[in-house]
């Protein structure tokens, strides 16, 4: 059985450690994103700085929202290896329960995997909420985000963003999500 509470605690601690490490080098981090792989076998964090955002946007202000919120364009990124290691082990141990091959020979996820995926998403949401509480005094303007590439739709991403950010930031995010999702 996967320990979702341990995963949540470990993610919060790792995010806090990365933010503090990166903040020693960069004093203008404005966003931190928790990234979960679709296969539920790795987790990482991305961050961006105001300076890097300005460099990316340059003389193209119409691209601002893309560069502001698209983690693939950000300056800082790291896989959380320790956590990813036990995530991968769990998925490998349960591969027979998590996927099967259909009549066409295509591997598809099972209901067991989908249930695990939903639990992981809920754990990530709780981790973001806890992380927000622990860091809001020191980093009050820091935006937090969450993504599972090519899995979460715009509505789900906006809902999660709204959970851990101000109403003003959530409104801006929702207004421009088509520019970066």
């Amino acid at each position: 059985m996967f320990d979702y509470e341990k995963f949540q605690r470990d993610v919060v601690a790792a995010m806090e450690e990365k933010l503090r490490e990166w903040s020693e080098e960069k004093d203008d981090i404005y966003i931190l994103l928790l990234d979960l792989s679709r296969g539920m076998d790795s987790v990482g964090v991305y961050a961006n700085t105001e300076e890097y955002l300005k460099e990316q946007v340059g003389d193209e202000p119409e691209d601002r929202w893309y560069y502001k919120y698209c983690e693939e364009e950000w300056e800082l990124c790291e896989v959380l290896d320790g956590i990813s290691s036990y995530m991968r082990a769990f998925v490998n141990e349960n591969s027979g329960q998590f996927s099967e091959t259909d009549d066409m020979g295509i591997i598809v996820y099972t209901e067991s995997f989908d249930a695990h995926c939903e639990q992981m998403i809920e754990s990530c949401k709780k981790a973001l909420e806890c992380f927000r509480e622990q860091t809001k005094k020191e980093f009050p303007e820091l935006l937090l985000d969450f993504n599972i590439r090519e899995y979460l739709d715009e509505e789900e991403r906006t809902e999660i963003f709204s959970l851990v950010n101000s109403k003003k930031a959530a409104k801006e995010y929702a207004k421009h999500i088509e520019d970066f999702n």
Side-chain angles (χ1 to χ4, degrees), residues 36 38 71-72 147-153 157 181:
L36 192 59
R38 175 62 180 115
E71 68 272 11
E72 293 172 17
N147 195 21
I148 302 173
R149 197 174 334 270
E150 298 177 6
Y151 180 71
L152 295 178
D153 64 26
R157 285 195 71 178
N181 194 32

Side-chain angles (χ1 to χ4, degrees), residues 5 14 17 33 50 73 89 103 112 129 131 159 161 178:
E5 289 180 11
E17 181 181 321
L33 176 133
E50 292 289 349
E73 301 294 341
D103 296 338
S112 294
E129 289 176 304
F131 180 77
E159 175 189 314
F161 189 89
E178 290 181 5

Side-chain angles (χ1 to χ4, degrees), residues 39-41 86-102 106-114 116:
M40 300 298 124
D41 57 0
Y86 71 74
M87 290 171 66
R88 198 168 17 266
F90 182 76
V91 169
N92 289 340
E93 290 167 10
N94 291 281
S95 63
Q97 294 176 334
F98 283 170
S99 64
E100 50 192 38
T101 307
D102 70 7
I106 298 171
I107 296 175
V108 294
Y109 291 125
T110 64
E111 287 182 20
S112 294
F113 179 82
D114 290 340
H116 174 61

